[in-house]
């Protein structure tokens, strides 16, 4: 599938911005609210628990995001890492990085935390691909430009944000084999969260070894999934 069409910047119902991808016919976030969706599914259901559990650890919390996209999940995670003063090594893979003229139009003034959202978002997008970049003592980003199905996953993961386009648009990114490979590199009690609550996705996660629960979603989304590696 080609990816020639430039994503379009759109405003969601909570006032925060998202992108619409004409190639896939999908938005990068919920149209009911980009920031509130990310805070609910990825920060609230996964990151905050593991940050508390690993506070005081000598090694950074290792997090892997499927789909860097607008950088919103990374921005919110960096804010939390700074607020908790707990180091995070943030890996994120993206096959179709947004161009400067697109990401320079993005802004998230509603995001709160120790960092200036606009400056932090710019730093995330301008960080070079393919190398670990320490943006602060508490946040290192390592952006991977490539295809998830061909990726060598980082080891020792505590958190996984599974934020790919939907199974209808990119079925290959929801294969059971990918979930099994992620399970293999995740630590005991690691958490994977995703907006997708489809029964077949839940069953594939379970067959891969995860313990899976359905939880209430953010506005506009009845349920979402949280999967956990057994202790």
């Amino acid at each position: 599938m080609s990816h020639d069409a430039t994503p379009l910047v759109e405003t969601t119902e909570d006032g925060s911005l998202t992108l619409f991808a004409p190639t896939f016919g999908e938005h990068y976030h919920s149209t009911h609210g980009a920031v509130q969706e990310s805070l609910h599914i990825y920060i609230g259901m996964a990151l905050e628990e593991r940050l508390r559990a690993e506070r005081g650890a000598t090694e950074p919390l290792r997090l892997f995001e499927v789909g860097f996209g607008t950088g919103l999940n990374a921005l919110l995670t960096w804010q939390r890492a700074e607020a908790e003063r707990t180091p995070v090594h943030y890996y994120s893979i993206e096959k179709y990085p947004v161009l400067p003229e697109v990401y320079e139009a993005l802004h998230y003034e509603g995001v709160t935390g120790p960092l200036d959202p606009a400056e932090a978002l710019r730093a995330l997008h301008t960080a070079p691909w393919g190398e670990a970049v320490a943006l602060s003592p508490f946040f290192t980003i390592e952006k991977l430009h490539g295809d998830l199905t061909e990726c060598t996953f980082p080891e020792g993961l505590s958190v996984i944000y599974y934020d790919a386009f939907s199974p209808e648009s990119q079925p290959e990114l929801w294969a059971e084999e990918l979930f099994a490979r992620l399970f293999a590199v995740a630590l005991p009690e690691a958490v994977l969260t995703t907006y997708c609550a489809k029964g077949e996705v839940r069953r594939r996660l379970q067959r891969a070894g995860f313990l899976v629960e359905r939880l209430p979603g953010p506005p506009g989304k009845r349920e979402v999934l949280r999967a956990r590696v057994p202790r």
Side-chain angles (χ1 to χ4, degrees):
M1 182 183 292
S2 66
H3 194 75
D4 300 328
T6 301
L8 309 173
V9 178
E10 295 187 3
T11 303
T12 65
E13 288 177 12
D14 70 356
S16 58
L17 300 180
T18 190
L19 298 177
F20 176 76
T23 302
F24 299 107
E26 293 192 4
H27 291 86
Y28 281 56
H29 310 94
S30 168
T31 56
H32 294 279
V35 168
Q36 68 184 4
E37 178 190 44
S38 292
L39 285 172
H40 182 104
I41 300 173
Y42 303 109
I43 308 304
M45 284 175 40
L47 177 69
E48 289 183 350
E49 172 194 314
R50 298 317 305 160
L51 278 178
R52 287 193 298 270
E54 300 192 24
R55 187 178 293 133
T58 56
E59 294 295 319
L61 180 151
R62 292 160 73 86
L63 184 156
F64 183 67
E65 176 189 35
V66 177
F68 181 71
T70 66
L72 176 57
N73 288 337
L75 172 63
L76 293 170
T77 301
W78 187 6
Q79 292 279 21
R80 294 305 302 148
E82 293 293 328
E84 296 290 332
R85 302 186 68 77
T86 300
V88 171
H89 191 123
Y90 194 101
Y91 299 90
S92 186
I93 187 166
E94 178 61 61
K95 188 174 183 178
Y96 306 112
V98 298
L99 297 173
E101 58 263 33
V102 176
Y103 69 67
E104 286 168 3
L106 295 170
H107 51 85
Y108 292 106
E109 289 84 352
V111 172
T112 59
L115 305 169
D116 176 87
E119 290 181 9
L121 191 65
R122 189 176 305 113
L124 290 165
H125 277 284
T126 56
W129 291 82
E131 60 184 84
V133 182
L135 296 179
S136 86
F138 299 107
F139 193 83
T140 296
I141 184 134
E142 190 163 344
K143 297 189 299 186
L144 312 171
H145 182 195
D147 191 316
L148 183 70
T149 63
E150 300 168 0
C151 173
T152 299
F153 297 141
E155 304 265 345
L157 299 177
S158 291
V159 176
I160 300 164
Y161 297 162
Y162 214 91
D163 202 13
F165 283 123
S166 74
E168 290 80 12
S169 293
Q170 293 187 294
E172 71 278 7
L173 301 188
W174 300 86
E176 186 176 326
E177 182 251 346
L178 288 176
F179 294 146
R181 287 175 52 207
L182 284 169
F183 184 87
V185 296
L187 296 174
E189 299 191 296
V191 175
L192 177 155
T193 52
T194 181
Y195 68 90
C196 182
K198 289 185 176 297
E200 183 54 32
V201 169
R202 175 172 53 84
R203 289 186 288 273
R204 288 174 187 175
L205 284 163
Q206 289 171 327
R207 290 195 295 264
F210 289 96
L211 304 174
V212 187
E213 55 187 330
R214 287 177 290 214
L215 296 173
K221 184 75 177 170
R222 187 166 64 88
E223 289 182 335
V224 293
L225 296 181
R226 177 165 64 189
R228 195 181 301 272
V229 176
R231 188 179 305 189

